[in-house]
Amino acid sequence: MFNKNIKLFLAVATIALAVWQFIENEIGNGIMLILLAAIFVLLYFKNEIIVLAFLRLRKQDFPGAQKWLSKIKNPEAALVKKQQGYYYYLQGLMVSQDNMTLAEKHFKKAINLGLSMSADLAMAKLNLAGIAMTKNRKREAQTLLKEAEAHDKHNMLAGQLKEMKANMKRAGNQPKRQYGQPTSARAGRRQR
């Protein structure tokens, strides 16, 4: 895993070498070096580790995707801003089953850094709405759900959005339960 600046340096050096090859009338070598420089530029904008993690995620291989993501030690130094957004988006998806507080932090950071596809932004907001609903923050969940619905332009998440709305209605109809210690002194005396 190379730093993003190293990739740019390699691209510039390869282009300089290609120009030298063109000056020396080695046209074939120059073209090949230009193509090599294009690969370095492509890897600058599309990080290879994140692409491999997405491929693992597509196969529902969460441990494999987590293994690829763990290879990125310092996302700020290795990735451009949009890639950092996708890094935190993938991290949020990975930890959402185990640690909802950490997943919420990752999803919020991904949204702040920016996701280029509206479907990914809708999915992140849908996950945040689910986390907010489980933490009894109904207004925030409703707002996030509306935002997710607005970002889902191709109705890819229509089923999940409909199910989440139904769950919110069911949760709104249930009576509020109090867990833990009584909050008033009067309720505390009744228990003694």
Side-chain angles (χ1 to χ4, degrees):
M1 176 62 210
F2 295 116
N3 188 310
K4 60 185 175 185
N5 297 327
I6 292 173
K7 292 176 187 176
L8 280 180
F9 173 75
L10 289 173
V12 170
T14 309
I15 288 174
L17 192 58
V19 169
W20 177 68
Q21 288 294 310
F22 283 130
I23 291 172
E24 294 291 320
N25 277 339
E26 298 291 335
I27 306 299
N29 289 346
I31 292 172
M32 189 265 318
L33 288 170
I34 292 288
L35 293 175
L36 184 62
I39 290 173
F40 287 128
V41 171
L42 176 71
L43 291 177
Y44 177 79
F45 290 108
K46 299 289 182 191
N47 187 278
E48 65 277 5
I49 302 292
I50 291 180
V51 170
L52 290 170
F54 264 117
L55 290 174
R56 287 291 179 186
L57 197 62
R58 182 180 242 179
K59 294 179 181 179
Q60 299 294 319
D61 181 14
F62 287 97
Q66 185 63 41
K67 185 182 97 175
W68 280 112
L69 283 177
S70 67
K71 292 182 186 282
I72 301 174
K73 302 293 184 217
N74 186 3
E76 285 77 24
L79 306 171
V80 294
K81 190 175 178 183
K82 289 279 186 191
Q83 292 172 350
Q84 289 176 31
Y86 276 101
Y87 172 80
Y88 288 111
Y89 171 70
L90 287 171
Q91 287 287 7
L93 287 175
M94 297 297 139
V95 298
S96 64
Q97 304 298 320
D98 305 326
N99 188 348
M100 291 201 326
T101 305
L102 186 60
E104 180 179 21
K105 180 181 141 193
H106 286 313
F107 282 129
K108 284 184 178 179
K109 198 164 189 178
I111 290 171
N112 288 338
L113 288 169
L115 299 171
S116 57
M117 294 182 64
S118 61
D120 295 331
L121 191 57
M123 184 67 166
K125 292 201 179 205
L126 179 66
N127 281 316
L128 278 174
I131 292 169
M133 194 171 88
T134 58
K135 291 184 174 185
N136 291 328
R137 299 188 313 231
K138 189 175 179 183
R139 277 195 193 130
E140 182 182 352
Q142 288 174 337
T143 305
L144 287 166
L145 205 58
K146 286 179 186 175
E147 291 175 8
E149 198 169 17
H151 288 295
D152 187 27
K153 295 175 181 157
H154 301 291
N155 291 330
M156 293 172 64
L157 301 173
Q160 288 95 331
L161 289 167
K162 188 176 179 182
E163 184 179 333
M164 183 74 77
K165 285 180 183 178
N167 288 341
M168 286 179 74
K169 280 185 180 178
R170 267 188 260 130
N173 294 336
Q174 292 178 352
K176 302 280 187 240
R177 294 188 183 120
Q178 180 178 357
Y179 299 103
Q181 298 296 323
T183 56
S184 68
R186 187 175 179 189
R189 276 185 254 133
R190 276 188 280 177
Q191 284 186 343
R192 291 184 212 166

